[in-house]
């Protein structure tokens, strides 16, 4: 476990578990105006004068490729992706560079993070949009059109209300087949690996409202707003990527292939 800006950040290990339906065609936005549409101004911020405002994450070089591998498979090939809690902005730049067919919209609630994102974006690809301010505790009523939502290390480093806010955001703003992709440390079946138990204790010591979330609890809350579980992918260091999508099909967390 590393600590960035006073916040513990999970690390990685090895292995993949999923029930992915490899032949499933991924939906694309039917409205051409959705594709690569630059956002309207929602609290954009520019770097502060003087000195570097770029933040860095020690875990970024280790988890960027496992996450990207899943994103290549589950995201649409065109459209706009909203990244919530984009933090330093390193992931946003990496994903936007690797996925040139997608417009990448980073967001965060922290002004310092927004400044770091903008600093990383300055010499980044053209499909990486200026960051916008977004607080999951107060989800906005209006957003630019988005076709997918990605959250990296967000749910465990925030209160449960933020998890519910993220699900509400997906329910209100994603198209029918738009995926919600969340990476981080999770608990499954009421249990967690020893490293994640220790990580959970660190998080709760920092803020009692924080902590590793139960996959099943998030899935249950997602079903209340019309999202269903699609797959769970195990990635290095006991982290997982959980994919939710609005669908008429039903799936159970134990259905692994």
């Amino acid at each position: 476990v590393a600590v960035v800006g006073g916040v513990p950040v999970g690390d990685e290990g090895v292995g993949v578990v999923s029930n992915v339906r490899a032949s499933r065609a991924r939906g694309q936005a039917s409205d051409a105006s959705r594709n690569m549409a630059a956002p309207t101004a929602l609290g954009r911020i520019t770097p502060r004068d003087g000195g570097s405002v770029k933040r860095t994450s020690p875990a970024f070089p280790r988890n960027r490729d496992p996450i990207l591998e899943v994103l290549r498979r589950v995201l649409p090939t065109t459209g706009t992706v909203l990244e919530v809690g984009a933090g330093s902005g390193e992931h946003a730049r990496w994903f936007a560079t690797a996925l040139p067919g997608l417009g990448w919209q980073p967001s965060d609630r922290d002004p310092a993070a927004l400044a770091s994102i903008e600093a990383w974006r300055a010499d980044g690809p053209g499909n990486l949009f200026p960051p916008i301010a977004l607080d999951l505790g107060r989800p906005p009523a209006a957003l630019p059109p988005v076709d997918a939502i990605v959250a990296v290390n967000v749910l465990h480093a925030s209160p449960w209300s933020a998890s519910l806010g993220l699900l509400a955001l997906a329910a209100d703003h994603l198209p029918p087949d738009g995926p919600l992709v969340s990476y981080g440390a999770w608990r499954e079946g009421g249990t967690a690996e020893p490293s994640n138990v220790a990580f959970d204790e660190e998080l709760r010591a920092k803020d009692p409202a924080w902590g590793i979330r139960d996959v099943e609890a998030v899935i249950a809350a997602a079903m209340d707003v019309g999202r269903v579980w699609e797959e769970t992918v195990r990635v290095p260091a006991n982290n997982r990527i959980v994919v939710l999508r609005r669908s008429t099909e039903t799936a159970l967390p134990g259905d692994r292939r």
Side-chain angles (χ1 to χ4, degrees):
V1 175
V3 178
V4 181
V7 178
V9 178
D11 208 340
E12 295 72 34
V14 183
V16 173
V17 175
S18 76
N19 81 323
V20 66
R21 302 172 180 86
S23 63
R24 180 177 179 178
R26 299 301 173 196
Q28 298 183 10
S30 58
D31 184 352
S33 66
R34 298 174 69 87
N35 296 341
M36 303 287 286
T40 57
L42 290 175
R44 291 178 184 170
I45 193 166
T46 56
R48 306 186 199 109
D49 292 333
S52 175
V53 297
K54 284 184 177 179
R55 290 179 170 182
T56 59
S57 166
F60 164 70
R62 298 187 291 270
N63 64 28
R64 63 189 183 187
D65 289 326
I67 299 172
L68 178 60
E69 181 180 352
V70 175
L71 295 183
R72 287 188 188 280
R73 181 166 51 75
V74 304
L75 294 182
T77 55
T78 61
T80 299
V81 177
L82 172 66
E83 182 184 355
V84 300
S88 69
E90 293 168 287
H91 284 101
R93 176 171 167 160
W94 185 259
F95 298 152
T97 301
L99 303 168
L102 291 167
W104 202 271
Q105 177 58 73
S107 69
D108 206 283
R109 60 172 291 181
D110 177 20
L114 291 167
S116 178
I117 296 165
E118 179 61 25
W120 282 106
R121 189 190 75 87
D123 57 353
N127 61 320
L128 178 56
F129 299 149
I132 59 175
L134 194 154
D135 185 347
L136 290 175
R138 305 177 186 84
L143 271 179
V146 296
D147 301 283
I149 296 176
V150 171
V152 176
N153 286 329
V154 171
L155 297 190
H156 57 251
S158 60
W160 175 244
S161 59
S163 297
L164 298 179
L166 179 63
L167 295 173
L169 192 74
D172 291 343
H173 296 285
L174 285 180
D177 200 37
L180 169 58
V181 185
S182 183
Y183 164 92
W186 295 83
R187 185 182 292 106
E188 278 192 282
T191 62
E193 296 83 0
S195 62
N196 280 340
V197 171
F199 183 39
D200 184 65
E201 291 173 354
E202 283 189 57
L203 290 166
R204 294 182 187 278
K206 181 174 182 63
D207 188 324
W210 291 10
I212 294 174
R213 304 301 168 198
D214 289 288
V215 171
E216 294 82 1
V218 172
I219 292 172
M223 292 178 67
D224 288 341
V225 292
R227 317 301 295 185
V228 296
W229 173 83
E230 181 169 277
E231 63 174 312
T232 299
V233 183
R234 290 188 181 177
V235 291
N238 300 322
N239 287 315
R240 290 164 174 77
I241 297 174
V242 176
V243 181
L244 302 169
R245 198 183 294 267
R246 190 164 75 200
S247 173
T248 56
E249 299 178 8
T250 58
L252 296 175
D255 178 21
R256 304 282 195 262
R257 288 195 296 179

